[in-house]
Amino acid sequence: MREIKAYKERWKRENPAYDREYRERNREYFRNYRKEYYANNRDKFLQYEAKRQHVRDGVDHDGTTRQEILAKTNGRCIYCKKVAEEIDHVWPRARGGPWTYDNLVATCWTCNRGTGGKFDRIVSDWWPQNSGIAWADLQPILMAAGISVAWMHDEIESQSDA
C-alpha cells in the first residue's frame, strides 16, 4: 500500500502539467461535483467556514455545531419564532464574540440582518420595534436558550454611561 502511494506521489511530482491539463479538460465535471457536494453537505461546509473565519480573526471557536444551536430552540428563531435559517452571535463576532454554545442563537434571515452586528441595536432599537417585547422579557428567553446575560448588563451600562 505504501509503495502505491509513494509511486503516485512521485509520478505527480514528475508530471506536474498532467493534473492541470486533466482538470482543464474536465472543468465542467469538477464544477458540477463541487455544486453537488455543497448541496449535500451544506451544514458541514458552513461549519468549516465559520471555524476558518474565527481562526483567521483570532476568536475562540469551541466546535459547537449548527445542529446543536438549532436544537436549542427547536429550529425556531429565538427573536420572532419563525423557522431559523442562520446562526447569530449574541455578542457580535465583529466585537470579539466567540463561536461558543452560550454565545450563539438560531435566527431567521430577517432577525439576523436586523441586528446589524451591534448588540446595542438589539436592546434599544431593533428588539422592541420588531417584537414589542421589552429587554426585561428578552433576558429569560436568552437564558432558557443557554445564553449567559451577565456580560450584556455590563455592555448596556457602558452604553448608558457614554
Side-chain angles (χ1 to χ4, degrees):
M1 188 66 147
R2 288 182 183 167
E3 297 85 25
I4 294 172
K5 188 173 183 179
Y7 170 79
K8 287 181 179 181
E9 289 174 4
R10 189 176 67 247
W11 192 90
K12 275 185 136 182
R13 276 194 314 271
E14 293 169 358
N15 300 287
Y18 181 81
D19 190 46
R20 187 173 43 253
E21 292 168 2
Y22 177 79
R23 288 193 169 273
E24 192 66 35
R25 285 193 312 265
N26 296 290
R27 182 181 298 193
E28 192 62 31
Y29 166 79
F30 285 107
R31 182 178 296 135
N32 290 335
Y33 178 82
R34 282 191 301 272
K35 283 182 183 178
E36 185 178 327
Y37 180 85
Y38 176 79
N40 293 333
N41 298 284
R42 185 172 183 268
D43 284 344
K44 183 178 178 181
F45 178 80
L46 293 173
Q47 182 71 22
Y48 167 78
E49 190 64 20
K51 186 169 186 172
R52 187 187 66 75
Q53 290 173 357
H54 281 81
V55 168
R56 178 195 67 205
D57 297 342
V59 179
D60 288 342
H61 189 291
D62 70 356
T64 302
T65 64
R66 290 175 53 82
Q67 290 80 9
E68 291 172 334
I69 302 306
L70 292 169
K72 283 202 277 190
T73 56
N74 295 323
R76 295 290 178 182
C77 176
I78 193 165
Y79 303 120
C80 69
K81 304 299 181 219
K82 293 179 187 170
V83 174
E85 304 155 340
E86 300 188 1
I87 303 298
D88 185 30
H89 289 73
V90 177
W91 182 253
R93 194 177 84 207
R95 295 170 116 178
W99 180 282
T100 56
Y101 185 82
D102 63 345
N103 188 46
L104 300 170
V105 291
T107 63
C108 66
W109 188 89
T110 305
C111 292
N112 196 13
R113 298 303 183 273
T115 58
K118 297 177 183 155
F119 180 74
D120 54 332
R121 286 204 56 216
I122 296 175
V123 177
S124 63
D125 299 334
W126 188 86
W127 178 262
Q129 289 175 5
N130 288 282
S131 68
I133 299 174
W135 165 241
D137 298 326
L138 173 60
Q139 290 178 0
I141 294 171
L142 292 172
M143 289 172 59
I147 305 297
S148 170
V149 295
W151 60 265
M152 295 179 199
H153 294 293
D154 297 337
E155 177 72 9
I156 293 165
E157 290 297 318
S158 68
Q159 290 171 13
S160 62
D161 293 343

